[in-house]
Amino acid sequence: MSIGCVAIQSCGPDQGARLSGAGDQSEEGQEIAFTTEPGRNQKTLNQGMNVFADYLTKTTGVRFRYEPAISYLHAYQLFKAGKIDMIRVGIYGGYKVLKRNPGAKTLAIQKPSYVSVLIGNKKLRSKSQQGSADPGLRAIKGERVGFGSLYSGSTLMHPLLDMRRQSVFLADTEECAHITNQYDLPAMVADGQLDYAFIKGNSVSLLGRVKEKDLSRVYVAWQSPEVKRNNYFIVSKRLQDLDQQRLEEGLQKAIIDLNPQDVDQKKVLDGLSKGALGFEVPNDEFPAPINQDIDELIAEYGEEPSCET
């Protein structure tokens, strides 16, 4: 059977109990494949996503399998082609997936736990602090600035939206670069390859993605004043239709029930995103309003923003 295809009719009379979460075993031939945007190295992703797949399988009674994607674009293509039925995205990937897949649906959204952080090389600190006024994101004007992937929500689109609010744009930098593995950004700032970089912080730790050996050479130049959302799950129209939406409902409940106070469930959440506080149902505040903000930003740039143009 093809990846992501679920043969519900072949599952036998016990499928209702299986979908409601009874037991550890799933019916043979019944499988849901999912993927995530590859913003970290593959070994780390494999470990975290496989733990998540095991949790979903045990909780729903349906076998879930993680299908690695070699790039952000590949992840979106897997979903578009029907090779997977669920994808975990950031705000920019979610914007693209929902635009390109009519009928796709936001299943669960991250509780506010993301903080956008601008780090700088410590040698630049005295320069940025000249004068009494806090320069905010204007500090990156005329400097070499690192962002995440061209498709990243946490290390590209969130920063661009923050910059827009302070009337700062990519063209204001001396140069900017996209770094696919977000974990490489702090080291590049520490080593002086970049002057500044946007990294993903959270309500637990602003500098959790900075290696200990680099901490003494970087500083927090700016952080978003509010704690935001970034990651969320989107499911295909096919998954929504399975067994009169019972699978969708069971899957949503399994994700929303994840509790960071539970030791085992915290491991699942940390595998998804270190410091994640859990998920909840979509609401009027997310993701629709942020997708509107992205529409407006792209209209202002005249095209999808990039350091490569």
Side-chain angles (χ1 to χ4, degrees), residues 252-288:
Q252 183 183 61
K253 184 178 187 304
I255 294 173
I256 290 173
D257 282 351
L258 281 167
N259 182 357
Q261 303 305 316
D262 181 283
V263 175
D264 292 331
Q265 293 182 17
K266 184 177 186 303
K267 292 178 182 177
V268 178
L269 285 169
D270 283 346
L272 290 168
S273 182
K274 192 75 172 177
L277 300 179
F279 294 85
E280 57 192 6
V281 296
N283 55 47
D284 291 340
E285 298 178 355
F286 190 92

Side-chain angles (χ1 to χ4, degrees), residues 14-274:
D14 294 332
Q15 66 157 356
R18 298 289 183 185
L19 294 180
S20 66
D24 292 349
Q25 300 297 318
S26 58
E27 292 288 343
E28 186 175 355
Q30 187 177 335
E31 183 177 81
I32 295 289
F34 70 93
T35 197
T36 186
E37 297 172 321
R40 294 173 281 170
N41 70 69
Q42 196 58 56
K43 181 179 179 181
T44 302
L45 282 174
N46 286 344
Q47 182 176 358
M49 295 304 119
N50 286 330
V51 169
F52 180 54
D54 289 344
Y55 166 78
L56 294 179
T57 298
K58 181 177 181 179
T59 305
T60 67
V62 176
R63 183 166 59 248
F64 280 79
R65 179 175 61 79
Y66 167 53
E67 175 73 9
I70 61 175
S71 67
Y72 284 75
L73 187 57
H74 182 225
Y76 310 150
Q77 290 171 338
L78 287 173
F79 190 87
K80 178 72 174 176
K83 299 294 183 67
I84 59 170
D85 282 308
M86 183 171 71
I87 183 170
R88 190 194 68 151
V89 292
I91 61 164
Y92 201 13
Y95 169 85
K96 292 175 179 291
V97 169
L98 291 174
K99 283 270 189 183
R100 298 171 184 175
N101 296 273
K105 179 180 179 180
T106 301
L107 183 73
I109 62 175
Q110 179 186 41
K111 291 181 180 179
S113 55
Y114 161 82
V115 180
S116 185
V117 181
L118 177 70
I119 58 170
N121 185 293
K122 265 196 177 172
K123 293 180 180 179
L124 297 173
R125 189 166 195 169
S126 59
K127 175 184 173 183
S128 68
Q129 292 178 340
Q130 288 177 357
S132 56
D134 180 357
L137 291 176
R138 295 186 300 277
I140 70 174
K141 289 189 174 184
E143 306 289 358
R144 301 169 301 158
V145 185
F147 297 86
S149 162
L150 186 61
Y151 304 99
S152 173
S154 62
T155 53
L156 176 63
M157 186 49 67
H158 264 307
L160 289 178
L161 292 172
D162 288 325
M163 289 162 56
R164 177 176 177 242
R165 296 183 189 103
Q166 298 188 30
S167 299
V168 180
F169 301 91
L170 290 177
D172 295 323
T173 64
E174 177 184 342
E175 61 180 86
C176 69
H178 293 293
I179 308 301
T180 301
N181 186 346
Q182 301 170 9
Y183 284 81
D184 291 338
L185 285 164
M188 295 178 72
V189 173
D191 293 341
Q193 299 174 62
L194 296 168
D195 301 316
Y196 294 95
F198 285 96
I199 65 171
K200 181 179 181 180
N202 58 54
S203 52
V204 176
S205 173
L206 291 179
L207 298 179
R209 295 200 168 193
V210 182
K211 293 181 179 178
E212 186 174 354
K213 68 181 181 65
D214 296 324
L215 283 171
S216 64
R217 295 184 290 168
V218 303
Y219 75 103
V220 175
W222 176 88
Q223 69 183 76
S224 57
E226 72 278 18
V227 180
K228 313 177 188 181
R229 306 176 195 270
N230 185 53
N231 293 329
Y232 60 107
F233 291 93
I234 296 174
V235 292
S236 67
K237 181 67 167 62
R238 178 172 55 191
L239 185 145
Q240 295 171 54
D241 292 340
L242 291 177
D243 196 39
Q244 292 78 49
Q245 297 184 319
R246 290 177 64 192
L247 175 56
E248 176 195 349
E249 293 167 1
L251 175 58
Q252 183 183 61
K253 184 178 187 304
I255 294 173
I256 290 173
D257 282 351
L258 281 167
N259 182 357
Q261 303 305 316
D262 181 283
V263 175
D264 292 331
Q265 293 182 17
K266 184 177 186 303
K267 292 178 182 177
V268 178
L269 285 169
D270 283 346
L272 290 168
S273 182
K274 192 75 172 177

